[in-house]
Amino acid sequence: MPTALITGPTSGIGAAFARRLAADAFSLVLVSRDDKRLAETADQLRLRYGVNVEVLAADLATDEGLARVESRLRDGDPVDLVVNNAGFGHAGNFPDVPAEDEVRMLKVHCEAVLRLTLAALPGMRERDRGAIVNVASAAAFFTRGTYGASKAWVISFSEAAANAVGNPRIKIMALCPGFVRTEFHQRAAMDTSGIPGFLWLKADDVVRAGMRDLALGKHVSIPDVRYKTIVAVGRLVPRGIQARVSARIGR
């Protein structure tokens, strides 16, 4: 039975990954800093799908938390799939957000992805198989604050890592959804009233598309034809216009 480790699995895209992989008979290792929700999520998955679920309480914004997950990946039972999903947004805009909050975002979005990928790869290379999904965002393709910048790093890193490993049996992919109906925006106190209804995606659909693209060996997955079109058109638009449109829609 294969095993998947998922960060941020208690809601949104992470929870959708947990459901999908449990339905596919994966054993799960769930990583979150919220002990209570972590235990509740694990119990629900065990009851519904009858799979083994291990919980690992860790705050990925801290060195201690990152080291705990690294140790599990390096020294624990083999992990076949890592989903680096944990992430968050800020309530304010750059440059009004305190520097320590920005650094915390970079630690979760970038350093955690780097370190957990590095921790997982030796075992995958030894077994000659495995996969890593790093959840980025369609925002990475546009000039919109430090959130988009951090997710742009995730895409660049994932592509570089996949090419460096150079083994089609070890897949590394950045998943780049657009607006998804999750707790993300509420937690960041973001006003979503200006976002057109047709731009919203469902987390389960995002995961379904992402798993399909992973199986196809893609290094970057943009779920849904709407966002594929938006990203393609955005690449043709001058950066200044990009920024103005993104600023109107993004908040």
Side-chain angles (χ1 to χ4, degrees):
M1 180 179 292
T3 297
L5 182 146
I6 307 169
T7 68
T10 60
S11 66
I13 294 173
F17 264 111
R19 292 190 298 270
R20 165 62 188 265
L21 295 170
D24 288 344
F26 274 74
S27 293
L28 301 177
V29 182
L30 305 182
V31 180
S32 173
R33 62 177 183 164
D34 190 329
D35 289 4
K36 182 179 179 181
R37 293 189 71 181
L38 191 59
E40 291 172 349
T41 299
D43 287 343
Q44 291 167 3
L45 291 166
R46 293 187 191 107
L47 181 63
R48 180 173 179 181
Y49 299 101
V51 297
N52 296 321
V53 183
E54 175 186 344
V55 296
L56 183 57
D59 184 351
L60 299 183
T62 68
D63 285 331
E64 179 184 4
L66 282 172
R68 189 174 300 129
V69 186
E70 285 175 313
S71 177
R72 173 60 183 84
L73 287 168
R74 289 187 176 128
D75 306 323
D77 293 336
V79 172
D80 304 281
L81 170 62
V82 175
V83 180
N84 284 311
N85 166 75
F88 61 93
H90 290 312
N93 293 315
F94 181 86
D96 301 323
V97 176
E100 57 268 28
D101 292 343
E102 296 283 25
V103 170
R104 182 170 175 269
M105 173 182 281
L106 293 176
K107 196 168 188 74
V108 174
H109 290 183
C110 301
E111 184 178 345
V113 169
L114 169 67
R115 289 175 58 173
L116 300 190
T117 298
L118 287 172
L121 277 175
M124 292 180 179
R125 297 178 84 173
E126 182 178 345
R127 296 186 299 275
D128 196 35
R129 60 182 172 81
I132 299 171
V133 175
N134 298 321
V135 178
S137 171
F141 298 99
F142 301 92
T143 52
R144 179 61 187 168
T146 50
Y147 177 83
S150 70
K151 293 302 188 178
W153 183 90
V154 172
I155 295 174
S156 180
F157 167 73
S158 299
E159 290 185 288
N163 289 325
V165 171
N167 184 343
R169 291 177 294 278
I170 300 175
K171 304 177 188 298
I172 302 175
M173 185 187 79
L175 176 62
C176 308
F179 295 112
V180 183
R181 295 287 186 188
T182 69
E183 298 176 2
F184 175 89
H185 300 92
Q186 290 84 353
R187 286 182 176 181
M190 294 181 182
D191 178 10
T192 60
S193 61
I195 301 173
F198 72 89
L199 289 179
W200 288 102
L201 305 176
K202 295 179 180 179
D204 290 327
D205 293 341
V206 168
V207 170
R208 187 180 304 111
M211 292 298 291
R212 179 196 63 220
D213 287 345
L214 183 68
L216 292 172
K218 293 187 178 182
H219 295 169
V220 178
S221 171
I222 303 174
D224 195 89
V225 67
R226 287 165 287 183
Y227 282 96
K228 286 181 171 66
T229 302
I230 289 169
V231 169
V233 171
R235 285 171 171 164
L236 303 175
V237 173
R239 302 290 278 184
I241 296 176
Q242 268 192 30
R244 287 195 294 272
V245 173
S246 180
R248 291 188 63 184
I249 295 176
R251 289 272 168 182

